[in-house]
Amino acid sequence: MDFAEKKNRLRVLLGASRVFQRKGYAKTRMEDLVEESKIGKKVLYEYYSNKEEVLKAAAEYRQTKAAFKLKRIRNNQALDFSKRFVKMRKELLDVCRPSHFALWKELQDQIPEIWRMVKAKRVQLIDTEIASFLEEGKKLGEFRADLRPDLFIMALIACSDAIYKWEQNPTERRANISELDNIFLYGIIRRGKETLKSS
């Protein structure tokens, strides 16, 4: 794959992510993807024969990118564990936006086979990074020994969903995220430790 093709594919995937989040899967047409990515229709069809293929490729790209960021944070030994954990939580909250939840719900309800594929890829890429980080925290004594990564991930997604459903300005939302962090962290950090602060 040459540089021009890589560049075009990236434009398609970034544009597709925006369109799918804005319009949803069912209402998105290949023409919308052409318009958003600003490439020719013929070029788009050379890469992807339908919007399902585009969605799968866009989901994999976004998940791979998120997993790479999480891995970089996890491996950044210049920061102590507490600071890396705060950065990781912020990154995860940034990944989970309201538009993502609407698209996930649509896929889950209407196209379960695509939803299963997207979820399996998330488990393979993102959840694995989170689980590795939580295991490190347990070994360091920062987290409770009985902390289950799968429940941590479910709780974090649920918290993010709840935060974004509120009709608030960004400042109010940030304050509520900090408060939710305090409640959330109280259950997973080792009792009596004050190391993991949300700010």
Side-chain angles (χ1 to χ4, degrees), residues 1 7 14 58 64 66-67 82 118 123 152 159 167 176 180 185 193 195:
M1 188 185 309
K7 186 177 172 184
L14 294 174
T64 301
S82 172
V118 169
V123 169
F152 171 86
C159 289
E167 303 258 340
N176 282 326
L180 196 53
L185 288 175
K193 287 190 71 85
T195 53

Side-chain angles (χ1 to χ4, degrees), residues 129-184:
E129 282 302 318
I130 298 167
S132 297
F133 194 73
L134 297 180
E135 286 305 315
E136 180 186 348
K138 285 193 220 180
K139 286 178 186 169
L140 292 171
E142 298 285 355
F143 295 147
R144 292 174 16 196
D146 63 346
L147 174 63
R148 287 183 42 195
D150 57 335
L151 294 179
F152 171 86
I153 292 162
M154 282 173 42
L156 190 66
I157 290 170
C159 289
S160 180
D161 189 17
I163 286 290
Y164 283 110
K165 279 182 178 170
W166 294 344
E167 303 258 340
Q168 296 177 316
N169 67 46
T171 305
E172 291 171 324
R173 187 177 295 133
R174 181 59 58 193
N176 282 326
I177 288 172
S178 294
E179 182 59 26
L180 196 53
D181 275 349
N182 291 332
I183 295 166
F184 187 57

Side-chain angles (χ1 to χ4, degrees), residues 103-126:
L103 181 58
W104 293 346
K105 180 86 172 106
E106 179 187 7
L107 295 177
Q108 199 170 5
D109 292 347
Q110 298 175 22
I111 316 147
E113 64 279 0
I114 295 180
W115 168 246
R116 282 192 294 274
M117 184 277 306
V118 169
K119 187 176 177 187
K121 202 67 173 171
R122 189 204 78 203
V123 169
Q124 177 193 352
L125 294 171
I126 297 174

